[in-house]
């Protein structure tokens, strides 16, 4: 039990550093934890404040520390809950309280009230359709896009049109001038009830969807707050299930948070929620400025909205009566934070839901092994949607052995079979997607004579070629000119491997000169809106072939795509962490799911050097259970998550020797205590991190594996203390990563 509490009087991020310390009276010891609202003496007055942290370390002379008067009972502010959540994150993932609070509380910024505007159709629908045909004929694509969306929705939010439809204000102005649309400013938010009655939601769930909704709803009625895993193939109607559960949540006077990976937060998705719930929905994305973000939070806090949709950070929307948290595509690695605190949105959502007696619904076509395991051992409730709503059959998949291709003299990355099928589909004017399952290795400079790879002098990574003729380090930004000769052997044969997708684009172009090709990868989507523009162009059938990285396997449906080629399916098997098979299975299944989404049947070609691998064989059959059964055996055998838990200690420092010494010492100290505790814990390392140096800072790792998560938390706490107490390590910093998603 801690003796002192650091208390903040006014909750705002700016005041975080201004905490005041009070002592905790014995009789309150049990009840004082982070987030608790207390009464404190302040000068001559009594104020209320929130406990940010409990500690045994007095900050000033002990005799001068005054005691807390009592606990403020009654309604607990929403902030109190977020503080408590930050405390939980701090303890379970390792960070300072400030780092955790900065994650959960929005940065306050003075913003002038953003004007809310909407677009309305000013002409009849018949007229609108005529105009639409005209615009399309004249290739006024922006105008056509806007008008099409307006016909569908009746009215549209201005911001939404700008952000998600990529329509410029001048396009809107021009349509307004022609009296086709009107732009209306709204002083107040509309009443949601009147909005809903304006547009009755007519879709009724099919029996399988209804069963899922009823089950969750019955639990909620009984006051149970559970975590559900909804496993349903793409197109099985998961999103409709989410929306029905949200509607019921709102009917109970509660609010909903929906997490969707940013990349899947496309116009189509947003419109579905917007179409049903109107202005009671707010969308967060990384394009919002800090001020806009704050404004969204304020709207949530003031009760102006009931639904917050967005990526990971939307989880901290300050709703006071949260009823449900939905996490779509729950297997996505973007739900894990890459910065301290390295929290996982799934676990954090479950914690936040527990504080509110709210439900958590996780949805995916290919659940994470972690979640499926939790469902198997009874921690989550498994719900399933086994059929596609529109009864489209799953596409037919075949595996091509690339080694065999080579033996038969085909050196192309496109197998004979894939080329034949492409020819056939192009002749039928159907569309094709080519997916390169490969990341990060684009554009490295290497010598063909001696194999030398040009590396960054400050980081342990190779430099990447960029179009502007320089080589760039992706970790520190270091740049240098492309050398004329190999720095190691002097040979002139030094060149950059072209970005994987770019090379494929060239190859396809020369093989099918008539075909129109679009490419989507990191390079072609760096500018604002380019991602959505490419998808839109492909959807409008302005191209026959879309070549891309994993970006193309998500988001839009393309009904005219009948062939998906997965060019090197095993690439992701070789990533250097234990998720290789899982990622491969997910990517292949998702990519395959892109074929045959319309009335035409789809075909999938999986090219691989490893045709016997279970991840590839089970993905071919779209058999999740078969994959899971084999994968879990491997995780069990090697004591990997989810069967055991894993913590990585990442230690960094500028002096390599000091760092090595610190790591050895830490691992020895941990070793001693593990012996004493006799809990089965495995320790690996210290060893160099995968990237052993970034910006001249050395990086070392220690891996710890044990069954019980709490043991790892305990080891984390020890380690923090070792570092703090030992003056000699003052230049070493440490970070923790629990059940990491990517390697170190
Ligand atoms: P998922 O989220 O599982 O991919 P969606 O909810 O997007 O599935 O549903 C796929 C398609 O089927 C969507 O176009 C959706 O509007 C439609 N749909 C879903 N449920 C029904 C239903 N009960 N009746 C008719 N159409 C439906
Ligand atoms: Zn560098
Ligand atoms: Zn060389």
């Amino acid at each position: 039990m801690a003796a002192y509490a650091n208390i903040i009087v006014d909750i705002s991020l700016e005041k975080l550093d201004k905490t005041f310390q009070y002592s905790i009276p014995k009789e309150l010891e049990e009840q004082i934890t982070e987030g608790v609202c207390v009464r404190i003496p302040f000068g001559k007055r009594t104020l209320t404040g929130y406990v940010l942290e409990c500690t045994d370390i007095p900050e000033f002379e002990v005799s001068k520390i005054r005691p807390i008067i009592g606990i403020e009972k009654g309604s607990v502010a929403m902030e109190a809950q977020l503080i408590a959540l930050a405390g939980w994150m701090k303890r379970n993932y390792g960070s300072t309280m400030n780092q955790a609070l900065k994650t959960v509380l929005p940065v306050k910024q003075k913003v002038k009230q953003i004007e809310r505007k909407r677009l309305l159709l000013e002409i009849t629908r018949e007229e609108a359709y005529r105009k639409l045909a005209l615009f399309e004929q004249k290739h006024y694509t922006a105008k056509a896009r806007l008008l099409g969306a307006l016909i569908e929705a009746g009215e549209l939010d201005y911001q939404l049109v700008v952000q998600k439809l990529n329509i410029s204000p001048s396009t809107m102005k021009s349509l307004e001038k022609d009296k086709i649309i009107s732009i209306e400013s709204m002083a107040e938010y509309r009443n949601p009830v009147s909005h809903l009655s304006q547009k009755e939601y007519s879709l009724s769930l099919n029996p399988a969807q209804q069963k899922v909704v009823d089950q969750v709803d019955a639990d909620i009625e009984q006051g149970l707050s559970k975590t559900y895993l909804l496993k349903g193939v793409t197109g099985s109607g998961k999103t409709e299930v989410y929306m029905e559960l949200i509607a019921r949540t709102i009917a109970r006077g509660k609010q909903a948070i929906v997490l969707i990976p940013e990349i899947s937060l496309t116009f189509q998705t947003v419109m579905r929620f917007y179409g049903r719930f109107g202005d009671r929905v707010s969308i967060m994305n990384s394009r919002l400025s800090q001020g806009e973000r704050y404004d969204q939070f304020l709207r949530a806090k003031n009760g102006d909205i009931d639904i917050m949709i967005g990526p990971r950070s939307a989880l901290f929307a300050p709703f006071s009566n949260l009823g449900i948290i939905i996490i779509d595509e729950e297997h996505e690695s973007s739900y894990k934070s890459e910065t301290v605190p390295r929290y996982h949105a799934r676990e954090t959502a479950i914690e936040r839901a527990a504080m509110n007696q709210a439900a958590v619904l996780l949805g995916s076509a290919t659940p994470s092994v972690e979640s499926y395991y939790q469902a198997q051992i009874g921690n989550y409730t498994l719900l399933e949607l086994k059929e596609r709503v529109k009864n489209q059959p799953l596409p037919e998949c075949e595996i091509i052995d690339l080694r065999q291709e080579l033996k038969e003299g085909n050196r192309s990355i496109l197998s004979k079979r894939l080329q034949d099928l492409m020819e056939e589909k192009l002749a039928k004017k159907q569309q094709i997607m080519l997916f390169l399952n490969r990341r990060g290795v684009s554009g490295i400079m290497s010598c063909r004579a001696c194999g030398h790879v040009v590396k960054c002098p400050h980081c342990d990574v190779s430099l990447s070629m960029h179009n502007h003729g320089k080589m760039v380090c992706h970790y520190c930004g270091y740049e240098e000119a492309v050398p004329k000769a190999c720095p190691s052997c002097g040979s002139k044969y030094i060149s950059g491997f072209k970005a994987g997708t770019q090379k494929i684009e060239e190859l396809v172009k020369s093989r099918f000169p008539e075909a129109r090709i679009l490419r989507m990868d990191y390079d072609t989507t760096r500018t604002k809106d380019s991602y959505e523009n490419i998808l839109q162009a492909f959807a409008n059938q302005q191209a026959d072939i879309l070549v891309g990285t994993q970006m193309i396997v998500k988001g839009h449906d393309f009904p005219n795509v009948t062939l998906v080629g997965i060019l090197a399916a095993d690439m992701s098997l070789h990533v250097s962490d234990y998720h290789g098979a899982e990622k491969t299975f997910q990517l292949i299944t998702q990519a395959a799911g892109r074929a045959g989404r319309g009335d035409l049947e789809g075909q999938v070609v999986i090219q691989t050097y490893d045709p016997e691998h279970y991840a590839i064989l089970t993905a071919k059959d779209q058999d999740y259970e078969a994959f899971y059964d084999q994968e879990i055996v491997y995780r069990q055998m090697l004591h990997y998550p989810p069967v055991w838990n894993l913590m990585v200690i990442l230690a960094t420092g500028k002096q390599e020797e000091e760092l090595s010494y610190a790591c050895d010492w830490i691992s020895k100290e941990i070793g001693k205590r593990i012996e004493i505790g006799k809990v089965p814990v495995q320790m690996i390392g210290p060893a160099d991190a995968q990237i052993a140096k970034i910006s001249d800072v050395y990086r070392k790792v220690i891996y710890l594996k044990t069954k019980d998560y709490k043991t790892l938390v305990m080891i984390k706490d020890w380690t923090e203390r070792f570092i703090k107490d030992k003056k000699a390590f003052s230049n070493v910093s440490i970070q923790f990563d629990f059940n990491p998603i990517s390697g170190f």
Side-chain angles (χ1 to χ4, degrees):
M1 285 295 128
Y4 308 102
N6 297 334
I7 290 170
I8 190 164
V9 178
D10 174 21
I11 304 180
S12 72
L13 213 49
E14 297 64 42
K15 300 265 173 69
L16 278 187
D17 296 325
K18 289 195 192 116
T19 56
F20 301 94
Q21 197 169 59
Y22 291 84
S23 62
I24 304 175
K26 264 258 164 303
E27 68 273 15
L28 294 181
E29 247 178 26
E30 301 266 300
Q31 298 159 62
I32 302 263
T33 51
E34 294 117 355
V36 170
C37 186
V38 291
R39 271 173 288 128
I40 44 167
F42 200 82
K44 289 198 174 109
R45 293 176 295 165
T46 300
L47 295 180
T48 55
Y50 292 92
V51 177
L52 281 196
E53 206 163 12
C54 298
T55 172
D56 280 318
I57 305 159
E59 273 175 6
F60 49 100
E61 207 181 301
V62 174
S63 63
K64 290 197 176 138
I65 300 181
R66 299 161 79 185
I68 291 171
I69 299 172
I71 290 173
E72 185 77 12
K73 298 245 163 56
S75 72
V76 182
M78 208 279 320
E79 279 90 347
Q81 209 180 79
L82 288 180
I83 294 174
L85 192 62
W88 179 88
M89 287 162 74
K90 176 195 104 167
R91 283 193 300 280
N92 283 280
Y93 297 109
S95 75
T96 64
M97 191 60 185
N98 264 20
Q99 285 169 324
L101 281 166
K102 281 184 178 144
T103 309
V104 303
L105 298 175
V107 180
K108 198 184 237 161
Q109 277 209 342
K110 289 229 164 37
V111 273
K112 59 175 198 306
Q113 191 60 41
I114 296 168
E115 200 185 6
R116 278 179 203 287
K117 288 194 274 191
R118 61 175 168 165
L119 309 184
L120 297 166
L121 200 56
E122 283 295 301
I123 50 179
T124 63
R125 289 175 75 84
E126 289 84 58
E127 258 182 279
Y129 275 116
R130 270 202 300 277
K131 285 274 184 222
L132 182 63
L134 188 73
F135 290 159
E136 276 170 353
Q137 196 190 345
K138 288 190 173 170
H139 296 290
Y140 294 166
T141 49
K143 283 185 179 175
R145 203 155 70 228
L146 175 58
L147 196 57
L150 256 181
I151 291 173
E152 210 173 291
E155 60 173 80
L156 286 170
D157 181 79
Y158 187 92
Q159 285 299 327
L160 188 81
V161 171
V162 175
Q163 283 180 11
K164 284 285 169 196
L165 264 187
N166 302 322
I167 305 288
S168 68
S170 65
T171 303
M172 288 187 255
K173 281 254 164 57
S174 141
L175 287 180
E176 191 187 22
K177 212 173 113 238
D178 295 342
K179 300 227 165 24
I180 297 173
I181 65 166
S182 62
I183 304 174
E184 202 182 81
S185 292
M186 294 181 291
E188 279 173 36
Y189 304 117
R190 279 168 299 157
N191 179 336
V193 183
S194 70
H195 174 88
L196 286 182
S197 56
Q198 264 174 26
K199 195 179 176 198
E200 281 297 334
Y201 200 75
S202 58
L203 187 144
S204 56
L205 300 180
N206 66 28
Q209 291 169 314
Q210 194 63 51
K211 198 169 153 230
V212 169
V213 169
D214 287 344
Q215 187 175 345
V216 176
D217 209 49
D219 287 344
I220 293 175
E221 272 300 320
Q222 285 185 43
L224 299 171
S225 61
K226 293 208 223 166
T227 301
Y228 304 88
L229 175 61
L230 174 57
K231 175 172 173 292
V233 290
T234 16
S236 61
K238 293 187 294 298
T239 310
E240 291 300 329
V241 167
Y242 303 157
M243 293 203 289
E244 183 57 29
L245 285 170
I246 293 169
R248 294 183 185 206
T249 303
I250 297 176
R252 289 194 175 92
K254 297 190 171 199
Q255 299 98 33
I257 292 172
V258 185
L259 302 188
I260 296 181
E262 178 122 20
I263 203 153
S264 313
L265 208 54
T266 56
F267 179 74
Q268 289 177 351
T269 315
V270 169
M271 274 311 293
R272 284 176 74 181
F273 284 92
Y274 190 77
R276 180 153 180 186
F277 298 108
D279 259 6
R280 303 301 290 179
V281 184
S282 176
I283 315 283
M284 291 245 283
N285 62 46
S286 62
R287 285 207 206 127
L288 297 183
S289 69
Q290 206 127 78
E292 285 172 322
R293 197 172 276 263
Y294 187 69
D295 181 63
Q296 303 304 311
F297 274 118
L298 219 56
R299 292 176 71 201
K301 198 178 158 199
N302 296 342
D304 293 330
I305 54 169
D306 299 311
I307 307 163
M308 181 68 91
I309 303 178
R312 201 173 62 220
S313 57
L315 181 57
F316 306 112
F319 287 129
S320 58
N321 198 7
L322 188 62
I324 193 166
I325 302 174
I326 291 164
I327 305 185
D328 191 30
E329 312 271 359
E330 67 86 29
H331 60 275
E332 275 291 310
S333 52
S334 61
Y335 286 126
K336 176 94 195 268
S337 169
E338 299 267 354
T339 54
V340 179
R342 296 176 192 271
Y343 68 97
H344 199 296
R346 190 195 306 127
E347 297 154 356
T348 312
I350 293 171
E351 182 64 21
R352 180 157 190 213
M355 294 175 171
N356 291 274
Q357 262 122 39
V360 176
L361 179 69
L362 312 169
S364 176
T366 51
S368 61
V369 169
E370 165 76 38
S371 293
Y372 202 71
Y373 177 75
Q374 294 300 338
Q376 295 296 312
I377 62 173
N379 289 340
Y380 301 170
T381 305
L382 185 64
L383 305 167
E384 286 190 77
L385 290 174
K386 292 191 168 150
E387 314 272 324
R388 284 179 162 184
V389 173
K390 292 172 184 161
N391 267 324
Q392 298 137 315
L394 289 170
E396 183 197 311
C397 296
E398 53 192 297
I399 294 178
I400 304 291
D401 185 347
L402 285 174
R403 296 168 309 185
Q404 197 57 36
E405 286 289 312
L406 203 64
K407 267 196 209 138
E408 285 161 16
N410 178 14
R411 288 165 166 274
S412 163
I413 179 83
L414 304 175
S415 61
K416 178 83 180 51
R417 172 73 177 150
L418 184 56
Q419 292 185 31
D420 290 348
L421 282 172
M422 286 173 74
E423 213 155 89
E424 182 190 321
K425 304 294 177 190
L426 287 171
K428 288 190 197 158
K429 301 259 174 272
Q430 294 170 358
Q431 287 174 297
I432 300 162
M433 286 169 92
L434 297 179
F435 165 61
L436 187 67
N437 177 9
R438 174 182 207 176
R439 52 177 129 187
V441 288
S442 66
I444 60 172
M445 286 293 290
S446 73
C447 170
R448 276 186 283 162
C450 77
H452 176 80
V453 173
V454 185
K455 286 190 164 191
C456 172
H458 308 288
C459 309
D460 178 37
V461 295
S462 37
L463 295 173
S464 303
M465 260 305 281
H466 272 238
N467 290 337
H468 58 281
K470 283 197 172 137
M471 299 183 300
V472 179
C473 171
H474 281 307
Y475 283 83
C476 73
Y478 170 85
E479 280 190 2
E480 70 177 51
V482 177
K484 298 232 173 356
C486 171
S488 172
C489 75
S491 156
K492 268 183 270 176
Y493 296 102
I494 183 155
S495 61
F497 283 124
K498 287 233 179 75
T501 39
Q502 201 176 338
K503 190 165 167 194
I504 285 160
E505 185 189 11
E506 279 166 23
L507 230 147
V508 174
K509 227 175 229 158
S510 65
R511 172 67 179 78
F512 301 99
E514 313 282 88
R516 298 163 301 164
I517 305 166
L518 276 172
R519 172 165 65 95
M520 181 145 102
D521 56 21
Y522 178 74
D523 281 322
T524 60
T525 54
R526 261 183 299 186
T527 60
K528 191 174 174 228
D529 304 334
S530 46
Y531 173 71
E532 206 119 1
N533 286 342
I534 295 172
L535 290 178
Q536 196 68 49
F538 193 59
N540 292 345
Q541 303 192 23
Q542 289 160 357
D544 308 300
I545 303 173
L546 177 62
V547 179
T549 56
Q550 43 260 55
M551 285 178 188
I552 67 171
V553 306
K554 291 165 190 150
H556 284 232
D557 271 1
F558 305 106
N560 197 40
V561 170
T562 55
L563 175 64
V564 169
I566 300 167
L567 299 181
D570 37 302
M571 279 294 182
S572 56
L573 281 177
H574 310 301
V575 295
S576 52
D577 70 299
Y578 63 89
H579 290 99
E582 181 176 358
K583 281 183 187 148
T584 304
F585 178 84
Q586 286 166 349
L587 281 170
I588 298 175
T589 329
Q590 280 175 0
R594 296 290 114 194
R597 298 299 292 265
D599 300 329
L600 307 162
E601 269 185 42
Q603 269 174 294
V604 179
V605 173
I606 304 171
Q607 303 189 151
T608 174
Y609 292 97
D610 203 350
E612 303 300 325
H613 196 284
Y614 66 93
I616 290 170
L617 288 173
T618 53
K620 168 184 176 281
D621 298 334
Q622 314 251 319
D623 188 346
Y624 181 86
E625 283 78 11
F627 165 74
Y628 175 85
D629 287 345
Q630 298 191 55
E631 179 66 12
I632 203 72
V633 171
Y634 152 79
R635 303 276 179 102
Q636 191 129 34
M637 216 159 60
L638 296 177
H639 296 153
Y640 276 127
V643 186
W644 279 33
N645 285 288
L646 168 67
M647 176 177 78
V648 185
I649 303 175
L650 171 68
T652 55
K654 287 210 158 184
Q655 254 74 49
E656 199 176 7
E657 246 169 66
E658 182 189 336
L659 181 66
S660 290
Y661 177 63
C663 287
D664 286 341
W665 194 78
I666 290 169
S667 64
K668 246 181 238 127
E669 287 296 311
I670 293 173
K672 270 192 244 162
R673 285 170 172 76
I674 294 171
E675 287 279 301
I676 298 164
K678 293 231 164 53
V679 217
V681 179
Q682 290 178 354
M683 180 160 61
I684 303 156
D688 283 346
Q690 249 174 56
I691 299 169
K693 185 171 83 164
I694 294 180
S695 296
D696 292 322
V697 174
Y698 293 90
R699 300 151 51 84
K700 287 190 182 293
V701 285
I702 301 171
Y703 282 84
L704 289 141
K705 287 194 271 188
T706 184
K707 220 171 166 120
D708 178 38
Y709 194 97
K710 288 210 183 79
T711 306
L712 292 179
V713 171
M714 196 167 74
I715 297 174
K716 173 201 71 151
D717 293 343
W718 294 338
T719 311
E720 276 173 337
R721 228 167 303 141
F722 301 153
I723 289 286
K724 210 163 159 189
D725 294 349
K726 207 61 180 173
K727 289 246 161 28
F729 300 157
S730 56
N731 295 318
V732 172
S733 33
I734 43 168
Q735 285 180 21
F736 302 91
D737 196 341
F738 286 78
N739 297 332
I741 294 274
S742 51
F744 269 90

